[in-house]
Amino acid sequence: MRLRALLDTPTLGLRLLGGEDELDRTVRGVMTTDLRDPSRYLSGGELVLTGLAWRREPDDSERFVRILATAGVAGLAAGEAELGSVPDDLVEACVRHRLPLFSVVEDVSFASITEHVVRQVSSERAGDLAAVVDRHRRLMTSGPTGGGPEVVLDLLGSDLDLRAWVLSPTGRQIAGSTLADSGPELSGELAARLAGEHLAAARTGRRGPHRVTLDGSAFSLFPIRHEGRDLRQTLLSDWLLAVEADAGDWPEERLDLLHGVTQLIAVERDRRDAARTVRRRLAQEVLELVQTGAPPAEIAARLRVAAPVLLPGLGAAPHWQIVVARVEWEDGDVPGGPVAQSLLEEMLVDPGTFGPEPSDRIAVAHTGDEAVALVPLPVPDEPGDASTTGLHADELLSVVREPLGRGLSDDGRLTVGVSAAVHSAEGLRGALEEARHARRVAAARPGRVCAAGHEELASHVLLLPFVPDDVRRAFTARLLDPLRDYDRKHRAELIPTLEAFLDCDGSWTRCASRLHLHVNTLRYRVGRIEQLTGRDLSRLEDKLDFFLALRMS
């Protein structure tokens, strides 16, 4: 609003004392102060209201006005209650510094003026922002030229003083304001709690925004969703807009504006989903080849195509890991595969990572209620190096269990299985079966969100007769292939050493004697076996696993 508009409102009780030529200045806010030096609280464009308590002598006026002018305030309004009238020295100081000066009659409170200015400024800002949002929507609808959701969040911050974030259903931050003065970052814990509150409220069927108070701050949660479908088909995959404010007393115009922002962000979500089409198709092709028993050479060729797409610039094919997820609803009417696919694409991103782009390195396919993720892992420095451990089931769900559990409510379940890492096409079929068996182990546990990993199959499920041969082969290869690879390269005889060590019941002396080795040499070889496999031959469980692997190889 302009300063001139203040004189057009008689109820404000303002009288112009000087600065008529400056009345077209824009008012961006209002501040009440009686500090002798309020500069630290000024950012420019304010209408400053003062009761003149800072004035002790005439020279104080010059100093006070100089501070305001330097800060770039729009104007000064002085109350008449303290001195009866505005002193001449203040009028003269304002004339020297070209600062518009108003007097405020005694029976008008500063609160009334503040309320009027804030209401006018907010209304004008909202109108300007609505036009910007509408223009931005047209740009993004016609192509990827809008700049992403960060642009709109910056506008909300700069024009409406609203802090806002776009969050995934697991609470990972997709976008936030990039403004330098946007305040402290949203913690991962608080973001996960906000996502949980949103999912729980949405399952009740209530329309957004959902208003919650966490850690003493009020938030309004706006859903960003596809309309016209069963809520369960989209709830666990749609983003949300979290605004640090209570929308309960907002006017309809501001609510409509925020709903327009969510529609704009939904366009961006659709665009990014479309960009995943290639990776999803790659995963589907590999999955079909693996499940139909295609020759390893054909699968390897498809992996060579997938590797550059998922890991641009990588010179060699990485190791791979399989993750299987299943979303099931009690009535069975809603297919869980697409939701499980979106969830895996989200869950397999590091929860501390900002933005959606890291999911470009994950390929996920779905069939029925099941989704299967093909996850590339870094190439180890040395074949069989146990440092490439990949994903772990418990860590995968540590951050997302609480919010997703609230979204699944009392009629849905998410179960996840994680395979071990494999480094060839031959190992993918076993890894897929291993991940599926791990998921079934998770499904046997109580809880709405459960996961199990390959390590839980190693010594128990393996012995059960219904486990397919592929799983047995995967288990044997995981333990013995690193040793075989090392033996081929270094002629180290680790496999014969392992067999003799187990046959001697772990006796260093007897084993060294049988192999005609010095005990220190034997200790070196056993240490290398443990390093390459990540196992500990002093533990009974690991000895048993090696024993079984050797007998089945």
Side-chain angles (χ1 to χ4, degrees):
M1 66 176 297
R2 306 288 182 182
L3 278 175
R4 189 180 307 279
L6 296 173
L7 297 174
D8 297 334
T9 308
T11 57
L12 296 182
L14 295 178
R15 183 167 59 93
L16 182 65
L17 301 182
E20 185 174 359
D21 295 339
E22 304 293 332
L23 290 180
D24 286 328
R25 291 186 180 186
T26 299
V27 179
R28 296 186 175 87
V30 62
M31 174 188 177
T32 299
T33 183
D34 276 313
L35 295 174
R36 295 172 64 85
D37 181 3
S39 57
R40 73 182 68 179
Y41 304 109
L42 298 172
S43 58
E46 297 92 348
L47 172 66
V48 175
L49 307 177
T50 179
L52 301 176
W54 48 266
R55 184 180 178 277
R56 299 290 186 272
E57 55 187 11
D59 289 344
D60 291 339
S61 295
E62 169 63 25
R63 180 175 179 274
F64 184 77
V65 172
R66 184 171 64 251
I67 290 172
L68 299 187
T70 301
V73 304
L76 173 64
E80 297 178 349
E82 181 75 15
L83 302 177
S85 63
V86 177
D88 292 340
D89 49 85
L90 181 58
V91 176
E92 294 167 1
C94 288
V95 170
R96 285 194 295 271
H97 291 279
R98 301 179 61 85
L99 181 66
L101 174 64
F102 302 87
S103 65
V104 183
V105 298
E106 185 175 351
D107 57 352
V108 174
S109 69
F110 285 173
S112 300
I113 299 174
T114 299
E115 182 181 357
H116 175 82
V117 172
V118 168
R119 186 168 57 248
Q120 293 299 315
V121 170
S122 296
S123 176
E124 291 179 7
R125 284 181 177 176
D128 293 342
L129 182 57
V132 173
V133 168
D134 184 65
R135 182 171 67 252
H136 200 64
R137 180 188 297 112
R138 291 196 299 270
L139 286 172
M140 290 180 66
T141 303
S142 61
T145 57
E150 291 83 1
V151 175
V152 184
L153 300 185
D154 285 347
L155 290 171
L156 290 177
S158 62
D159 285 24
L160 293 184
D161 298 323
L162 292 176
R163 297 182 68 212
W165 303 266
V166 178
L167 304 178
S168 77
T170 66
R172 188 173 65 87
Q173 184 172 325
I174 301 296
S177 174
T178 62
L179 298 177
D181 58 349
S182 58
E185 295 183 1
L186 187 70
S187 70
E189 178 187 0
L190 181 55
R193 292 169 62 193
L194 287 172
E197 293 287 347
H198 165 71
L199 291 173
R203 285 306 307 271
T204 66
R206 291 189 286 115
R207 290 182 56 84
H210 309 300
R211 297 152 52 203
V212 298
T213 300
L214 297 177
D215 297 340
S217 297
F219 294 88
S220 296
L221 310 176
F222 293 80
I224 302 170
R225 67 163 59 113
H226 301 278
E227 300 295 341
R229 288 196 281 173
D230 189 303
L231 180 65
R232 294 171 296 176
Q233 289 182 284
T234 61
L235 178 66
L236 297 180
S237 58
D238 286 334
W239 295 348
L240 68 133
L241 177 67
V243 181
E244 190 176 15
D246 187 345
D249 56 354
W250 283 4
E252 287 296 325
E253 293 80 4
R254 178 167 289 202
L255 285 172
D256 289 343
L257 173 61
L258 267 294
H259 286 302
V261 169
T262 64
Q263 294 170 12
L264 178 59
I265 296 173
V267 172
E268 176 69 2
R269 173 65 192 270
D270 291 341
R271 185 177 69 81
R272 289 175 175 173
D273 273 350
R276 293 175 176 170
T277 302
V278 173
R279 298 188 300 280
R280 288 174 171 175
R281 187 171 66 248
L282 282 172
Q284 194 70 45
E285 291 174 355
V286 172
L287 178 61
E288 289 174 359
L289 290 174
V290 170
Q291 293 188 129
T292 56
E298 186 177 353
I299 299 175
R302 179 53 55 189
L303 289 178
R304 284 194 293 273
V305 173
V309 175
L310 299 179
L311 296 172
L314 190 66
H319 286 198
W320 302 92
Q321 201 167 7
I322 300 291
V323 181
V324 172
R326 192 176 183 91
V327 172
E328 298 172 288
W329 305 100
E330 288 185 358
D331 57 19
D333 293 338
V334 179
V339 176
Q341 181 182 47
S342 295
L343 277 181
L344 275 186
E345 288 172 335
E346 170 61 30
M347 289 161 53
L348 294 175
V349 178
D350 182 344
T353 303
F354 180 86
E357 282 67 27
S359 63
D360 291 355
R361 297 191 171 195
I362 299 162
V364 186
H366 77 83
T367 54
D369 290 329
E370 180 185 78
V372 179
L374 183 66
V375 183
L377 301 174
V379 179
D381 296 332
E382 185 176 347
D385 186 352
S387 63
T388 305
T389 57
L391 300 167
H392 294 276
D394 288 340
E395 296 175 2
L396 197 60
L397 295 186
S398 61
V399 177
V400 305
R401 181 177 278 108
E402 194 277 335
L404 293 184
R406 301 191 71 179
L408 291 162
S409 189
D410 56 357
D411 62 344
R413 279 202 88 195
L414 167 67
T415 51
V416 178
V418 182
S419 80
V422 296
H423 57 87
S424 66
E426 290 88 343
L428 277 181
R429 182 171 175 80
L432 177 59
E433 293 301 326
E434 190 174 55
R436 282 174 169 162
H437 275 280
R439 191 206 63 77
R440 283 193 281 270
V441 170
R445 295 171 175 167
R448 291 291 168 186
V449 181
C450 298
H454 60 89
E455 64 279 357
E456 299 182 62
L457 308 180
S459 301
H460 306 289
V461 178
L462 182 66
L463 300 177
L464 301 178
F466 68 81
V467 178
D469 290 340
D470 289 319
V471 176
R472 303 180 188 224
R473 285 195 293 269
F475 170 71
T476 302
R478 182 165 68 252
L479 282 178
L480 301 185
D481 279 0
L483 307 183
R484 290 169 178 153
D485 291 341
Y486 193 89
D487 281 348
R488 280 195 297 267
K489 296 186 78 174
H490 304 283
R491 298 181 180 179
E493 297 187 339
L494 296 183
I495 292 290
T497 300
L498 176 62
E499 290 176 327
F501 186 75
L502 294 175
D503 196 42
C504 293
D505 298 324
S507 170
W508 297 99
T509 304
R510 283 195 291 133
C511 184
S513 176
R514 174 181 295 190
L515 296 174
H516 306 290
L517 298 174
H518 192 279
V519 172
N520 288 343
T521 303
L522 176 61
R523 291 185 184 276
Y524 172 82
R525 288 187 183 181
V526 171
R528 176 62 68 180
I529 291 170
E530 292 175 336
Q531 179 186 9
L532 291 173
T533 61
R535 298 299 187 106
D536 182 357
L537 278 167
S538 67
R539 299 177 67 247
L540 176 61
E541 295 89 344
D542 289 341
K543 287 179 182 177
L544 178 59
D545 287 348
F546 278 120
F547 175 83
L548 292 171
L550 288 168
R551 290 299 179 270
M552 291 187 297
S553 63

